[in-house]
Amino acid sequence: MTTRIHPVLGAFAALVFLFLLAPLVIIVGASLSDTSYLTFPPQGLTLRWFANIFEISAFRNTAITSFQVAILGTALSLLMGIPAAYALNRYRVELPKWLSTLFVLPILVPEIVFGFSLLKSITIGFGLPVYPSLILGHALLVLPYSVRVVGASLAAFDFSVEEAAISLGCPPLKTFLTVVLPNIRAGVIAAFILAFITSINDVSISVFLTGPGISTLPIQILAHMEQFFDPTIASVSVLLMLVTVGVMAIVEATLGLTFLTK
Amino acid sequence: MKRFAKWGLTMPATIAVVVALVIPVLLTIATTFGEPKGAFSTYTAFFNSGFRTNILYRTLRIALITTAISLVIGFLTAYVIARMPGRLKSIAIIAAVFPLLTGVVVRSFAWLIILGKNGIVNDTLMSLGIISEPLSMLYTEGSVIVAMVYLFVPLMILTLTGVLEGVPREVVEASTSLGATPIATFFQVILPLAVPGLIVGAVLVFTGSFTSYATPQLLGGEQMMMMGTLLYQRAMVTFDWVGASTIAAIMVVITIAVVTIMSRMARRLNPMAV
Amino acid sequence: MTVSLTIENLSAHYGSTPVLKDLSISVAAGELVSLLGSSGCGKTTTLRIVAGFLEPTSGRVRLGDRDLTTLPAHARDIGLVFQNYALFPHLTVMENVAFGLKQRGIAKPDRAKRAGSMLDRVGLSHLADRLPSALSGGQKQRVALARALVIEPPLLMFDEPLSNLDAKLRVDMRVEIRQLQKANGTTSLYVTHDQEEAFSISDRVAIMNAGRIMQLDTPEVLYRKPANAFVASFVGFENLVPMKVVSRDGATVTAEAAGGARLSFSQDVFGAIKDDFVLATRADGLVARQSGEGIPATLGTRTYLGRAYQYKCVTVAGEITANGALSEPYDPGTSAVLVPVPEQCCILDPEA
C-alpha cells in the first residue's frame, strides 16, 4: 500500500539512523572498557566504572539533586500550567492572545540568557537561595510543556461534558478533578515526561545556579570531564540513557509511543 | 465567579513568568544602557572588538550551517519515514526519539570519544595507515557542527515526519493521476506543502544551535567559543556582568527577530490556513 | 477519441486476505458504469488498481488497445475525481485546473486558455484566483471535476465524488456530472455506495459483494429483475421466501413454502421453474387479503404509506412485509392471506 522508496534514498535514511544511534552504542561500549582512558571498541570488559560512580560522592549528591529538582520543578510547572491551560481553553475568546504567548516565552528566550538573568535578579538581586532558584528556573523552563501539551488535550475535550456534570450538582473543583482531569490524563502524563526529561538534562540554566554543595548531574559531568577523561563519564551517561529508556517504557505503557510523533 | 476563574487560574503562571523571567531578562537588557560612557557604549565596544564580533559571526555561521545540513538530512529521512509501512515506521520514530530524549551533555560527549586524539576516527585512520599522526579534530568549527547536527537532526526528523504525514495521500494521488512524474509531484506538490513545516523546523534548529552552551563548551572549547560560551565566560569567569548582559541582549534580539520573521513567513506560506 | 475499458480476471489481496476475486468488467466507449456496493466490497480497490495506485495479484486492465496493467500511475492518462476533492491547497483554482496541462508540457498561454474555458463550463471563472480553502464543498467538487476533464482523458473515474456534499447539492451535481460526461462522450467508471446515485447517473451498474460482481446490468433490469438473492435484497426485495415444487400441471407449477403454504406460478410468466427456488418480492408484491391463494399470515403493525398500507406479518414461512388496500385497513392480529402479484415477483435460484 505504501509508495516505493528509491533504494538510494532508503540507503541514505539507513545511514542517518546509523549516525543517530552509533554514538550511543559507542558510549555503552566505552563504559565497559577495562582501560583508564576512554576508548572504543572496549578493551577488556568490566563494570568497575559503574561501581566507581557510586564511590564518587559528587555524582551521588548531584544525581539526588537533579531528581529532586526535576520532580519538584515539574510538579510546580504543572500546578501553574494546568490551571492556565484550562483557562486558556475554557475562556479562549475572552482572554487576550498575548497570554498564551507569555507562557511560551521560556522557550523563546535563549535558555542561557534566562539562566544568567535569573541568577542576576532573583538569586543575587532578590537573595533567593540557590536551591529554590534552581527549582524555580526549572519550573519556568518546562512551563511551556505543561501549558501547551495539556492545552492540546484540553482542546480536544468537550466542555459540555463539564457543564453536564455541574448541572447534575457536582461542584466546580470536584468536576475538574473527577470529570476533566481523567479526560486529559494523556496530556498530563506527556507533559510530565517531557518536562522531567528536559529538566534532568538541563545545562544552560543549571550552570548559573550551582553553588557550594549544590550542583546537578549534567553540570557535575561537565566538571568531572575537565579533570578526568575516564570511562566513569561513559558509565554515568549510560545510566542517564537508562533513565530515558525507563521514561520511554512508561510512555509506551501509558500512552503508546506513537504519541510522541504528534 | 467566572471573571475570577478565567483570570485567577492563569494568575500563578503569569506572575511566575513575569517576575522570574520577563523582568529579570528586561533588567539584564536595561543594564546594558546604563553605562556612564553612554547608552550604547557597551554595544560599540562589542562591535569594535574583533574577538567578540568573530564569535558572533562564528555563532551565526555555525547555526546556519547546522540548520541547512539538518534540513536536508531531516527532510530526506522524514520523507522515507513517512512512506514506511506501519511497523517499520514506529521503529524508525523510536530510533529518532531516543537520542532526542537523551541529554545534550551525553550526546555531545559521544563525539569526544569519536573525534578525540585517541578517538575512533583517528584510531581507524591510523590503523589503516592513511595517517601517521592523529588529526586534531576537536575544538574546530567542524567538530561543533557535527555534534550540533547530531543534536538537532532527530528534532528535524520528527517535525518533518509530522508535516509530511499531514500531506493528504489523495493530493499526491491527484497529482499522479494528472500525469505528474514522482519528481514533478515532489517539487510541485509535496515540497510546497511542506514549506511551512520546513520553516518551523529551521527556526527550532537555528535558535537551538545559536543559543547552545553545552556543545560548544565540550567540542569547541576556548578556541571555538560561541555566544553561549562567551556569555558564560564573561558572567562567571571574568565577572564582567555588563559585557555578559550585552551578549545576552544581542542573543535575545537576534533570536526573537528570527522567530517572529520566520513564523510570520510560515503563516503566510501556509495554504492550509484559512 | 472514445475508447473502451476492459478489466480482465482481476484478483487482489490485502496481505493474505483476498479483496478482489477474478473480477471482469468491460465499459463500452462513452459509457458510464457504476460500481455499487457497501464498504469493503472491493469497488474502491478496483478503481485504485485501474488508476495504478494498487497492483493487482493477477489480471489485466486495458484501455482501448493500451495495456495499462504495468504502466506507472502518472502515465495512465486517467481523469480522477476524489471523494474529498484532493485539490492542491497551495495552488489557485486556475492553477489547480491547469496542473495536468502543465505536466503535459502545454505552453502557458494555451494552458490558461484551456483551463479558463473549462472553468467557464463548470461556472467558476469568477473564482479562478481563489485558493481552495476559500471555496464551498460544491465549488471544490466542480474544480476537481474541471481539473479531471481539462486533460481530456480517455477515461474518467469517480471515487464517491458526492458523498461529502449535502443532499440537495448531491442531486444537482450528479446531473451536472452526467451532462458533462455525456457531452464529452468520455468512458467513465463511477464508484458509489448510494444506490439512488448509481441508478440515476449510470448506463449500467455493477453490484458488488465480497470482491465479486453479483450482477452487471442497466438500472431498469437490476431494479425489476435481480439475478440473485443478494442483488434482490440490495435493490429492496424485502421478502425472500424459499419454495419447493410439489406438482406440475402443464405451464402451472405448484410450490410449497416452509410451513406448508402453497402457491401456484405460471411458467408462461416466469419461464422454466426449477424444483427449488426463492420467491422474491417487495412489499407491493404481496397483497394482504381476506381470501385467495396465498400465504396465511397474522397481520402486525400497520403503516400508512400514502398509496397503500403496509403490514409486518407473521407467517409460517417467517416474517414477511406486505401491502394492503387503502379501502380495507386491518387491525393488528387480523388473520389474512398474502397473495402474490405475479408482475411484482421474481423467481430466483437459491443461494449456492
Side-chain angles (χ1 to χ4, degrees):
Chain A
M1 286 285 170
T2 32
T3 332
R4 274 201 211 88
I5 301 160
H6 195 280
V8 175
L9 209 53
F12 175 81
L15 280 177
V16 170
F17 281 107
L18 186 69
F19 169 69
L20 288 183
L21 298 176
L24 302 178
V25 174
I26 286 167
I27 292 179
V28 176
S31 75
L32 298 170
S33 180
D34 196 7
T35 49
S36 59
Y37 53 91
L38 281 159
T39 184
F40 185 89
Q43 291 161 20
L45 289 178
T46 177
L47 287 174
R48 72 179 153 108
W49 301 111
F50 286 90
N52 195 39
I53 304 171
F54 297 96
E55 278 158 29
I56 302 172
S57 63
F59 278 124
R60 237 181 11 236
N61 296 338
T62 55
I64 292 169
T65 310
S66 275
F67 265 93
Q68 285 173 344
V69 169
I71 297 279
L72 293 173
T74 301
L76 185 57
S77 90
L78 285 171
L79 279 178
M80 299 186 296
I82 294 175
Y86 173 84
L88 284 179
N89 276 281
R90 186 76 176 81
Y91 310 109
R92 194 186 323 247
V93 278
E94 298 147 70
L95 287 170
K97 261 189 108 177
W98 56 261
L99 208 53
S100 55
T101 312
L102 187 76
F103 298 138
V104 294
L105 274 186
I107 285 183
L108 205 59
V109 171
E111 226 183 288
I112 189 121
V113 172
F114 173 41
F116 172 57
S117 304
L118 198 64
L119 168 75
K120 221 157 76 80
S121 303
I122 303 292
T123 315
I124 292 176
F126 189 72
L128 189 70
V130 173
Y131 190 71
S133 302
L134 201 53
I135 293 173
L136 180 63
H138 280 231
L140 279 175
L141 172 70
V142 299
L143 182 68
Y145 293 116
S146 303
V147 177
R148 296 300 281 270
V149 178
V150 174
S153 268
L154 279 164
F157 177 73
D158 178 4
F159 281 103
S160 57
V161 173
E162 190 195 18
E163 285 164 0
I166 291 174
S167 76
L168 292 168
C170 193
L173 183 63
K174 196 175 169 201
T175 301
F176 180 80
L177 295 176
T178 58
V179 176
V180 183
L181 208 52
N183 280 296
I184 57 167
R185 178 180 141 270
V188 175
I189 294 173
F192 184 91
I193 282 162
L194 287 170
F196 181 84
I197 283 283
T198 306
S199 167
I200 204 146
N201 287 316
D202 172 75
V203 173
S204 297
I205 289 175
S206 311
V207 79
F208 291 99
L209 298 171
T210 50
I214 295 182
S215 183
T216 64
L217 190 54
I219 304 301
Q220 168 60 24
I221 295 174
L222 286 176
H224 185 91
M225 248 187 284
E226 276 176 17
Q227 297 169 41
F228 316 97
F229 202 59
D230 63 20
T232 311
I233 300 295
S235 42
V236 178
S237 301
V238 171
L239 290 186
L240 277 172
M241 287 197 278
L242 287 178
V243 173
T244 307
V245 172
V247 163
M248 286 179 80
I250 295 173
V251 175
E252 170 64 22
T254 51
L255 311 169
L257 276 171
T258 48
F259 185 85
L260 292 169
T261 59
K262 284 168 201 154
Chain B
M1 178 64 208
K2 193 175 141 195
R3 226 184 131 72
F4 163 77
K6 71 179 180 191
W7 288 105
L9 291 171
T10 57
M11 216 30 88
T14 308
I15 292 172
V17 173
V18 170
V19 170
L21 189 139
V22 176
I23 293 176
V25 170
L26 289 179
L27 282 177
T28 297
I29 296 171
T31 52
T32 63
F33 298 107
E35 283 299 281
K37 281 179 248 164
F40 293 97
S41 60
T42 65
Y43 294 94
T44 329
F46 182 94
F47 285 102
N48 281 333
S49 154
F51 175 72
R52 280 173 275 179
T53 46
N54 267 341
I55 290 176
L56 174 62
Y57 299 148
R58 176 187 302 137
T59 308
L60 287 170
R61 187 165 58 238
I62 289 177
L64 278 175
I65 296 173
T66 302
T67 307
I69 298 176
S70 305
L71 266 180
V72 174
I73 294 181
F75 189 63
L76 292 177
T77 312
Y79 185 78
V80 174
I81 293 177
R83 263 153 197 72
M84 282 178 176
R87 225 187 131 68
L88 195 59
K89 186 185 284 179
S90 343
I91 294 173
I93 284 166
I94 292 170
V97 166
F98 186 75
L100 196 64
L101 295 182
T102 306
V104 178
V105 173
V106 173
R107 284 192 286 161
S108 305
F109 160 69
W111 291 95
L112 284 178
I113 312 181
I114 298 169
L115 299 175
K117 272 240 162 23
N118 303 310
I120 300 164
V121 175
N122 272 325
D123 277 1
T124 314
L125 292 179
M126 294 209 326
S127 66
L128 291 174
I130 297 171
I131 52 169
S132 52
E133 287 284 295
L135 300 169
S136 328
M137 284 172 291
L138 288 180
Y139 316 118
T140 60
E141 275 192 30
S143 62
V144 177
I145 291 172
V146 168
M148 290 236 187
V149 168
Y150 178 65
L151 226 50
F152 289 110
V153 156
L155 186 64
M156 199 66 114
I157 290 178
L158 290 178
T159 309
L160 295 180
T161 302
V163 169
L164 286 172
E165 301 222 298
V167 175
R169 186 184 72 177
E170 291 80 6
V171 169
V172 174
E173 288 178 355
S175 166
T176 307
S177 79
L178 290 166
T181 60
I183 291 174
T185 300
F186 181 84
F187 283 106
Q188 294 177 34
V189 177
I190 295 171
L191 194 59
L193 291 178
V195 163
L198 287 168
I199 293 176
V200 170
V203 168
L204 287 175
V205 174
F206 181 85
T207 54
S209 46
F210 180 71
T211 63
S212 61
Y213 167 75
T215 309
Q217 170 73 15
L218 279 171
L219 292 149
E222 297 278 303
Q223 296 97 309
M224 286 298 146
M225 270 207 225
M226 288 174 65
M227 291 294 272
T229 42
L230 181 65
L231 192 163
Y232 180 80
Q233 193 223 37
R234 286 293 134 109
M236 306 303 278
V237 181
T238 63
F239 294 106
D240 168 14
W241 279 23
V242 174
S245 301
T246 310
I247 296 160
I250 295 171
M251 287 174 84
V252 169
V253 169
I254 293 181
T255 310
I256 291 184
V258 168
V259 171
T260 348
I261 294 169
M262 297 298 265
S263 55
R264 201 157 286 173
M265 194 144 95
R267 214 169 307 140
R268 201 151 45 89
L269 288 173
N270 188 354
M272 313 278 194
V274 185
Chain C
M1 57 155 187
T2 49
V3 293
S4 61
L5 169 72
T6 317
I7 296 170
E8 290 167 5
N9 310 105
L10 216 54
S11 291
H13 292 79
Y14 190 87
S16 57
T17 325
V19 282
L20 289 184
K21 299 163 190 159
D22 199 31
L23 181 122
S24 300
I25 307 172
S26 65
V27 182
E31 187 185 31
L32 192 156
V33 168
S34 286
L35 304 180
L36 172 65
S38 48
S39 65
C41 72
K43 57 191 193 299
T44 298
T45 306
T46 308
L47 177 133
R48 293 176 61 78
I49 288 174
V50 176
F53 300 138
L54 285 179
E55 264 178 52
T57 320
S58 62
R60 314 204 67 78
V61 176
R62 251 187 269 275
L63 189 57
D65 50 10
R66 280 197 305 155
D67 188 336
L68 300 184
T69 319
T70 55
L71 214 57
H74 66 86
R76 292 195 178 195
D77 204 15
I78 294 172
L80 201 49
V81 180
F82 294 81
Q83 175 172 6
N84 56 7
Y85 326 123
L87 297 180
F88 304 120
H90 59 302
L91 300 180
T92 63
V93 165
M94 176 61 102
E95 288 165 338
N96 261 281
V97 176
F99 187 91
L101 300 171
K102 188 175 168 189
Q103 307 310 320
R104 282 158 180 73
I106 289 161
K108 212 167 177 184
D110 195 19
R111 219 150 74 197
K113 211 180 93 205
R114 285 167 65 179
S117 75
M118 195 64 231
L119 275 178
D120 252 349
R121 283 183 67 187
V122 296
L124 289 180
S125 326
H126 59 293
L127 299 175
D129 297 324
R130 297 269 182 93
L131 284 176
S133 55
L135 303 184
S136 70
Q139 290 168 337
K140 282 180 188 165
Q141 198 52 284
R142 280 200 179 81
V143 177
L145 191 60
R147 185 179 68 176
L149 281 170
V150 77
I151 59 174
E152 295 172 7
L155 175 66
L156 261 177
M157 296 205 292
F158 301 84
D159 186 7
E160 308 248 3
L162 307 180
S163 51
N164 285 349
L165 303 176
D166 64 49
K168 164 92 173 66
L169 203 54
R170 205 145 53 203
V171 174
D172 294 348
M173 276 302 289
R174 79 182 181 219
V175 172
E176 199 167 322
I177 288 178
R178 182 57 161 163
Q179 281 169 351
L180 283 165
Q181 184 265 338
K182 269 202 161 152
N184 288 24
T186 315
T187 311
S188 301
L189 194 62
Y190 191 104
V191 163
T192 179
H193 66 270
D194 182 331
Q195 186 188 327
E196 184 192 322
E197 188 176 313
F199 279 21
S200 65
I201 206 170
S202 315
D203 293 306
R204 288 188 300 153
V205 176
I207 293 180
M208 290 182 66
N209 180 41
R212 287 203 177 85
I213 290 179
M214 305 308 290
Q215 191 176 357
L216 169 57
D217 221 316
T218 60
E220 291 81 356
V221 171
L222 287 172
Y223 192 81
R224 311 265 7 136
K225 293 283 164 218
N228 49 55
F230 179 86
V231 175
S233 87
F234 197 93
V235 298
F237 284 67
E238 293 127 308
N239 306 312
L240 297 171
V241 187
M243 310 215 58
K244 213 177 226 0
V245 172
V246 288
S247 67
R248 292 173 184 271
D249 179 16
T252 306
V253 169
T254 306
E256 194 177 84
R262 289 194 173 196
L263 297 172
S264 48
F265 301 92
S266 163
Q267 295 195 92
D268 295 338
V269 177
F270 292 103
I273 293 174
K274 290 182 191 155
D275 282 348
D276 281 293
F277 66 91
V278 173
L279 170 68
T281 70
R282 295 189 173 86
D284 61 2
L286 289 167
V287 177
R289 291 212 189 118
Q290 284 300 334
S291 61
E293 186 201 60
I295 304 168
T298 306
L299 303 185
T301 330
R302 183 179 71 214
T303 315
Y304 176 63
L305 292 184
R307 290 166 286 108
Y309 287 119
Q310 191 163 92
Y311 300 94
K312 292 276 174 212
C313 316
V314 178
T315 75
V316 283
E319 279 200 22
I320 286 179
T321 310
N323 280 5
L326 289 176
S327 52
E328 291 176 86
Y330 301 120
D331 289 329
T334 310
S335 294
V337 281
L338 308 177
V339 182
V341 184
E343 49 276 24
Q344 307 288 355
C345 292
C346 282
I347 284 185
L348 308 172
D349 285 339
E351 290 291 283

